[in-house]
Each structure stands twice: as C-alpha cells, then as structure tokens.
Amino acid sequence: MTVLVFFLYRNPKEMLAKVADKVSVLRMVVDRQSKFEATIGLGHTRWATHGSPTTSNAHPHISNSGEIVLVHNGIIENYDALKKELLKKGYQFYSETDSEVLVNLIQDVQQAAQLPIHKAVQQALDRVIGAYGLVVFDKKKAKQMIVARLGSPLVIGIDNSGFYVGSDPTPFLAYTKSAIYLKDGEMAQLGLDKKIEVRRIKNDEKLNPRREELQWNMDQIQKDGYDHYMLKEIHEQPRAIRDTLRGRMFADQGKIQISSINDFKNRFVEVKRIIIIACGTSWHAGLVGEYLIEHFARIPVEVEYASEFRYRNPVLFCDDIVIPISQSGETADTLAAVKLAKEAGSFIYGISNVVGSSIPRETHSGIYTHAGPEIGVASTKAFTTQITVLMLLALKLGELKGKLSKEERTKHLKELAGVPDLIDTMMAKKDAIYAIAKKIHKSANCLYLGRGLNFPVALEGALKLKEISYIHAEGYPAAEMKHGPIALIDEAMPVVVIATKKGHYDKIVSNIQEIKARKGILIAIITQGDQTVKELADYSIEIPESSQWLTPFFATLPLQFLSYYIAILRNCNVDQPRNLAKSVTVE
Ligand code: BG6
C-alpha cells in the first residue's frame, strides 16, 4: 500500500495532508483544505521499510520542537542506537520510522551548537550509517531547503520560479527540463532567492555541479490514449527497438558502431569472463544475454542476482567485465553490487535506460537503451530494448574476438533490423490473446516453459503474470518439468509453452505431450504455420519465423499481452500493482 503526503508551508501558515491510499485520494483531501500561497511544498510516496504503511509513519516527519521538517527516502541502519541516545535526552517518537530519528537528531545537533540548518544536517548525517535521499527545512529559517543524498537518488529541477526536487525527474518534467543530479555524498542549499549551493557532506567542499538538459518531454510521459502505461509501453516496443539500434548498426555493411566499446577496445578483446548483475526483469534480459554472448563471442558469462552477488564475497578478477543491467539505474542492490565489483578492480560496463541515473554514473563505460520513460511498474519495452543491446554487444564481441565473420554479422544484423516491423505486425494478435485470457484468468496458478533462449522468456512471462495479476506463476526450463513441476499439472493448470520451430523443437514437442497426458491446459507460442503443436494445444499464438537468436523478441510480446489482459479481467491495478515499485531504491 502506498502512503502519500502533501505539506505546504509559508510562515506562519502550513497545511499537511496524509493518506494511506492513491494520489487521487490525496488530491481530494488537499482540495478540501483552505488554500494559501505556499513558498515551500513537500510531497512523498512512502515505500514501507521501517514501520507498516500507516499515516503516522508517513513523512514529513517533524522534530520534537515542531520546527524541523524532513522527508527521507532510504534506510538509516544505525537508527536504533541513535534513537536510544535521543530517548535518553527526553525525545519522544510518534512513528516507527528511522526517518523520525533522523529529524530529531538534526534538531539535537542544531540545538547543541546553535548551528545553521545546513550545518546541523551535515553533522547529523556524519553520524548516520545507511542510505538517504532527503529534503529538510527549518521553519525558523524557511527561506531555504536542504537536500542531500547517499545511495538513494535525488535530482533537482530548476526554472525561473525556483527549485523542484525528486527521486527522478518525472514529477517536475512538466515544469522544467533543466536539472542537476546530486551525486553520492553531496548536499545542496536551495534558496527562495533562487540561489543554489552544492557541497560535499563530508568536508563541506563547495562544488560546481553540471546542469543537464533532460531528454524526455511530457508527451512521452502521458498515456497517449491507452488505458494504461503498460499497454502504451507494449505498443511502443517497435519504436523503442528502432531508437536503440539507431546509429549503432549498419546492417548492409555488417557494421556495429558502439563508441563506448571502441573507447575500451582492449578491455573487450582481452576479456576472459563476463558477469552480468541485475534484478527482476533486467535479470531475465541478462540470461538472454548469456546465451547470445556465449554463442556469438565464445566468452563465458555468469548471470547474477545483484542482491546475492553483493553479499557472496564473489571471486572477481581484474580482466573480468561486469555488466550491470538496470532500467531505472537506481536499483539499490544492483548499485551496491557495482560498487563492490569496481572496488575489486573489475571493468564495469553498464546497460541502463535513464541517462544520468546512479548506476551509469558508477560505471567505467556503458550503453543506454532508448526505450524512453517506462512508467508501468511491470517492465516491457525496457526488456526488449535490453535484449536489443545485448544482441548488438554479442555480435560486436564476436567480431572483436574474431569469432564472427563479416558475412555472419551482416546476416544477423539484417534479421535484427527487421525485428521492429515484425513486432508491429504482431500487435494485431492482441484480440486473439484477449480471448485466451478470458479462458484462464480465473486460474490460481500457471506454469511457463521454454528451452534455450526461450527459458528466460518463460521466466519473464511468469514474472509479468505474478507482478500484475497476482496469479502464482513459475517459469522453468521445459526439461526441468519432469523433476518436480509436472506434479502440479492437472486439468486446472494452465501451462504456457514457448515452442518455436528453431531451437530444440522436437524436445519441446515431447514435453508438450507429457503435459497433455496429464490434462494440463496448454497455451502454446508457436512459429507461424506450425500445425503439429497447434493441434496439440488448447490455445495457440503464432509468432513470426526467425532465427532462434531472435525468438525472445517475438515470444515475449504475446506473454506481455496475456498477463495484461488477465490482470484487466481480474480488475487489478496494472500500472501500480500492490507491493511493487518501479525502482527499489532501498535494500
Ligand atoms: C522492480 C520493477 O522493482 O525492479 C521491475 O518492478 C524491474 O520491473 C526490477 O525489473 C529491476 O529494476 P531495474 O530498474 O534495475 O531494471
């Protein structure tokens, strides 16, 4: 559940609204309040870490003196010890949150040495262990806001009327495209006089931050007439893939032009091992990358869950290349894993969709997917553009390693160039997929099976269904079915099988017969014109014929639509499913 707040201030007036519900409900609450011209406004959507999602745990938290106001995104790991200290000094706490401890610590430090607010924040943060993106202001000196970040993202929007602060630029893009991304360990004073001062928290060093012009516009953020962002983003995939390929591949000449690789050519030529680190859907894209890179470049690839990798004390070598994949560029576990690998001396080559976000800024080099803003929590176009980049990377590494001739590269690049148009043609299948969704949307469980490159796609299909319809779904390598999941199959179990002609076809047909023998409801993703599996399946969705290396593009789309329509039929909130966030910036 999301907890939202809105706080407006203009000395001596203030207005506070908190709801444990959706933005639309908060808007109603705010509209009922008496209006006044505010000089400072704070809003916050809370992801519950310390303390359940209640209004008392909602931000902003106000210090015991009633004067210091704070919103905080992150986790204060030593909050308990700090709280005990403050309790001994007579401080009282009204929530279960670590953030309330922080605002009272700032008050305590301020009062102890009569410090100006920015100094008090600095000294308080010196005592904090953990992650934060925070906004603080002192009602006594309500002519400025203090912002600071370590681990959690924070970006400042600037226009003639003043400053906007967000975890990412989306909330203020309608007002300005000029922004400053605060780096880790930095803080800023934002004045009503439109003055901004950026300093390093640790040593108070004055900094000269770079002001960036944001690429995206409001149109790209609107729903363009689609019912949901997810549906819009599914339809945007052909454009997103074209934009991601643009200027990077010249199919007729068999040429791949990726400057971020050329700049570090030797690193890539000498690489002995590639380690891909990611979370969620990005991890599934990483698995597809493993198949592609090992096949085309013959370089061993390991795909790691970032959350496990960061604590496993992994064995890293300086001639490893570590590839973090992250749509948002802000996922806390992936960011931490990057820092760990960097400290160990590995070369970090990032894949991300958000220019200027934290992970790209931690890497030595990298490449952006050009999916445009992805708003729907369930990732769609980011996945297919990540696969696009991984295919380019695999072919380029194959070239650098001398494993792929120009003819072969040309063949694969020409096929890759045709992917967006073919996906475009597949959009017409959505009604047929809706009809299948109507048949199975009441199911409690669902299995997804695939072989080879279709295995990660099966995992992704299952994740999509879990994320937005709350049906318990599992993806498996089809052959693994016999070692357990087959026990789940009966006449009530839908089984989605990706059975494309290229890549282990005969084997997948025998898996299908095993499912049929146990009366499972078979939904098959088949290659155009395949009658064999079509006759075996209860429902089938045809996809274009392609080389096995490109099937993930075509097999993913029907699974995105299937999960979308099932979620709609179950009246689920497709764009903001329960318990999920677009980017998990806390551990
Ligand atoms: C989850 C999102 O929070 O994070 C998923 O809901 C996403 O869609 C995952 O795949 C990883 O995020 P990112 O931004 O690191 O790719």
Side-chain angles (χ1 to χ4, degrees):
M1 181 189 323
T2 312
V3 176
L4 298 162
V5 277
F6 198 54
F7 181 82
L8 289 181
Y9 185 77
R10 182 192 198 120
N11 187 8
K13 284 194 178 160
E14 66 184 57
M15 183 267 277
L16 176 64
K18 298 186 179 191
V19 296
D21 211 320
K22 297 281 164 221
V23 173
S24 49
V25 177
L26 179 72
R27 186 182 297 282
M28 282 190 309
V29 172
V30 169
D31 289 347
R32 276 203 298 271
Q33 313 242 355
S34 59
K35 299 284 176 289
F36 64 91
E37 276 294 306
T39 46
I40 290 185
L42 294 181
H44 188 268
T45 51
R46 178 164 179 264
W47 170 267
T49 54
H50 290 82
S52 50
T54 60
T55 45
S56 63
N57 287 334
H59 302 217
H61 288 286
I62 300 177
S63 66
N64 278 194
S65 64
E67 286 163 350
I68 303 177
V69 183
L70 167 137
V71 292
H72 163 236
N73 170 25
I75 291 181
I76 309 295
E77 290 170 24
N78 62 336
Y79 86 103
D80 204 33
L82 295 169
K83 187 172 184 176
K84 289 200 176 80
E85 234 182 78
L86 293 167
L87 282 166
K88 275 203 206 100
K89 294 182 179 176
Y91 280 83
Q92 296 190 314
F93 293 90
Y94 307 96
S95 78
E96 305 154 87
T97 66
D98 49 347
S99 315
E100 191 188 8
V101 175
L102 182 53
V103 74
N104 282 303
L105 179 66
I106 295 168
Q107 174 191 320
D108 192 55
V109 170
Q110 186 186 45
Q111 287 175 344
Q114 292 311 309
L115 296 170
I117 185 66
H118 75 280
K119 284 275 176 220
V121 170
Q122 216 164 7
Q123 290 192 15
L125 292 179
D126 217 26
R127 304 206 42 215
V128 157
I129 300 167
Y132 50 79
L134 56 84
V135 182
V136 179
F137 84 93
D138 181 350
K139 292 183 193 173
K140 297 192 297 305
K141 196 160 184 266
K143 291 203 172 3
Q144 62 169 349
M145 275 204 296
I146 311 297
V147 298
R149 74 153 290 183
L150 184 69
S152 301
L154 199 134
V155 56
I156 302 162
I158 306 164
D159 74 1
N160 304 338
S161 68
F163 301 103
Y164 310 83
V165 180
S167 304
D168 69 70
T170 318
F172 59 70
L173 205 55
Y175 308 103
T176 179
K177 297 181 96 178
S178 177
I180 290 176
Y181 282 89
L182 221 53
K183 292 199 181 71
D184 258 355
E186 293 181 358
M187 65 186 290
Q189 289 166 259
L190 311 175
L192 283 181
D193 57 3
K194 305 194 178 82
K195 281 213 189 74
I196 176 169
E197 244 184 54
V198 179
R199 295 168 183 276
R200 206 176 298 293
I201 299 169
K202 272 253 159 311
N203 60 12
D204 204 32
E205 176 200 346
K206 211 153 178 283
L207 301 166
N208 221 349
R210 196 155 61 88
R211 207 161 150 166
E212 313 205 17
E213 210 40 42
L214 299 168
Q215 310 297 322
W216 296 335
N217 57 39
M218 266 325 274
D219 288 353
Q220 286 177 302
I221 299 233
Q222 304 296 351
K223 282 190 196 144
D224 289 356
Y226 290 97
D227 293 346
H228 297 95
Y229 285 111
M230 183 179 178
L231 189 62
K232 174 193 167 210
E233 288 153 10
I234 291 174
H235 283 85
E236 283 182 333
Q237 292 180 103
R239 189 270 314 147
I241 295 168
R242 280 190 202 96
D243 287 355
T244 302
L245 289 170
R246 190 167 292 115
R248 291 169 173 168
M249 77 163 205
F250 307 90
D252 298 341
Q253 302 138 48
K255 202 169 127 204
I256 302 160
Q257 182 71 28
I258 304 177
S259 52
S260 55
I261 291 187
N262 295 345
D263 301 347
F264 297 91
K265 201 168 172 188
N266 294 344
R267 272 272 176 184
F268 286 93
V269 170
E270 279 139 30
V271 62
K272 299 270 183 321
R273 177 178 66 161
I274 288 177
I275 302 174
I276 296 176
I277 44 178
C279 303
T281 290
S282 297
W283 187 79
H284 294 151
L287 274 181
V288 173
E290 176 181 30
Y291 283 83
L292 296 173
I293 295 170
E294 290 198 347
H295 173 74
F296 288 116
R298 307 308 293 147
I299 302 167
V301 176
E302 292 166 17
V303 184
E304 302 276 354
Y305 279 119
S307 54
E308 285 301 313
F309 181 84
R310 63 181 292 190
Y311 290 118
R312 201 187 67 232
N313 187 18
V315 181
L316 291 163
F317 305 112
C318 49
D319 54 7
D320 283 337
I321 292 184
V322 171
I323 302 185
I325 305 178
S326 175
Q327 185 284 127
S328 61
E330 299 295 355
T331 300
D333 283 324
T334 309
L335 181 57
V338 165
K339 289 180 178 161
L340 177 131
K342 206 172 163 186
E343 269 150 39
S346 300
F347 180 77
I348 316 293
Y349 185 83
I351 297 177
S352 182
N353 189 48
V354 180
V355 177
S357 56
S358 305
I359 291 170
R361 273 185 290 121
E362 274 302 326
T363 60
H364 298 106
S365 180
I367 183 168
Y368 285 111
T369 54
H370 293 309
E374 189 175 69
I375 315 267
V377 165
S379 185
T380 52
K381 59 180 180 173
F383 179 63
T384 45
T385 53
Q386 286 162 351
I387 296 175
T388 306
V389 159
L390 288 159
M391 183 67 180
L392 284 178
L393 207 58
L395 295 174
K396 185 68 187 175
L397 291 174
E399 174 192 341
L400 292 177
K401 288 281 188 181
K403 301 289 180 196
L404 213 55
S405 67
K406 185 170 177 198
E407 292 63 44
E408 287 170 310
R409 281 199 314 277
T410 308
K411 180 169 78 65
H412 291 295
L413 288 175
K414 283 190 171 161
E415 232 191 332
L416 183 58
V419 166
D421 292 350
L422 283 173
I423 293 184
D424 248 334
T425 61
M426 292 177 67
M427 296 299 172
K429 294 194 181 297
K430 60 181 179 227
D431 297 345
I433 300 168
Y434 180 62
I436 298 172
K438 276 209 278 192
K439 304 280 184 199
I440 60 169
H441 73 279
K442 293 204 176 90
S443 310
N445 302 286
C446 188
L447 273 180
Y448 288 72
L449 303 174
R451 278 179 178 262
L453 269 160
N454 292 331
F455 159 50
V457 178
L459 288 175
E460 179 56 13
L463 178 62
K464 290 278 101 47
L465 194 66
K466 272 183 277 213
E467 281 177 310
I468 61 173
S469 77
Y470 319 141
I471 291 177
H472 175 218
E474 303 235 30
Y476 275 92
E480 200 49 31
M481 175 182 66
K482 286 199 281 297
H483 306 291
I486 197 166
L488 301 170
I489 299 179
D490 59 16
E491 55 287 336
M493 174 65 89
V495 185
V496 178
V497 180
I498 305 161
T500 49
K501 277 272 175 174
K502 300 272 175 59
H504 324 286
Y505 180 70
D506 299 340
K507 306 242 179 285
I508 203 95
V509 171
S510 54
N511 293 132
I512 285 173
Q513 274 143 352
E514 286 154 2
I515 297 161
K516 290 306 295 173
R518 287 147 185 90
K519 304 198 173 23
I521 306 163
L522 192 78
I523 299 107
I525 309 292
I526 60 174
T527 303
Q528 202 92 39
D530 175 359
Q531 285 308 316
T532 311
V533 176
K534 192 168 187 156
E535 276 147 28
L536 283 169
D538 298 284
Y539 312 105
S540 57
I541 304 162
E542 294 188 348
I543 65 173
E545 172 109 33
S546 76
S547 81
Q548 64 171 305
W549 312 110
L550 299 179
T551 53
F553 287 107
F554 307 120
T556 300
L557 190 85
L559 303 186
Q560 294 169 340
F561 273 128
L562 189 64
S563 60
Y564 172 79
Y565 287 127
I566 289 174
I568 296 291
L569 289 160
R570 293 164 71 96
N571 295 321
C572 298
N573 185 329
V574 167
D575 283 338
Q576 292 177 323
R578 69 186 186 202
N579 304 344
L580 291 175
K582 184 64 198 160
S583 175
V584 179
T585 54
V586 289
E587 198 189 328

